[in-house]
Amino acid sequence: MVLRLIIGNKNYSSWSLRPWLAMTALGIPFEEELVPLDAPDFKERIWARSPAGKVPVLIDGEAVVWESSAILEHLAERFPEKGVWPSDPVARAYARSLATEMHNGFGALRSVAPMNLWRPVEARSFPEEALQDVRRITRRWGEARARFGGGGDFLFGAFCAADAMYAPVATRLRTYAIEVDPVAAAYVEAVHAHPAFVAWKEAALQETGALAEDEVDWPVVKRV
């Protein structure tokens, strides 16, 4: 049975990006169903699929999985051969910790720098709390790259679930021209160059519906 992933707008929905990117990058077959976040019947359609009433939602036969982190764990169990997490147990523990920290934290950065893939790269000033989040994130990236990243360009060498969890942060750093150290900058470039992310962004740039809460220049909508 083919898995079905229900997502929101590719330009804005950072939580939808995470499982979509992981499944695409790791070669896990699925069908995509996109429900625009501003659709009049959005809540009705999503509540019919998810107890949380939010995207993303993964439908795997009779299994319904919501929340990006839970979806990634489901995929790891369902497709153990795909490398959703690093094979080394020490690296895997670190990767899961990083991913959980992303899921639960860094609210200051996320609140002032929403993912917006069609916005031109343009610097903004941010409160100190958001910049503290950036420093924490990039420090974690540097630690992961130094300890486990020797086999490739991603946090643990090969692309894994931890990279999927942090991909929206990489877009924020680029979109708002936030200065980071060379290791973090190289990682941001690697995320943006991954073919799966390129495909997501190309689709995002074709979308038209603008959401005020995710446009920091509102009522102006800046587009590349």
Side-chain angles (χ1 to χ4, degrees), residues 3 7 11 19 28 61 107 109 111 121 123 125 129 132 145 150 155 164 184 190 193 197 202 204 220 223:
L3 281 66
I7 62 174
N11 187 57
I28 297 173
L109 175 65
S111 65
V121 174
S125 60
E129 293 83 355
Q132 288 176 0
R145 292 287 298 143
L155 295 178
F197 180 82
E202 287 177 349
V220 176
R223 297 193 59 152

Side-chain angles (χ1 to χ4, degrees), residues 10-28:
K10 290 184 174 178
N11 187 57
Y12 299 119
S13 185
S14 59
W15 291 108
S16 296
L17 168 60
R18 292 174 166 106
W20 190 100
L21 187 60
M23 297 173 77
T24 303
L26 298 174
I28 297 173

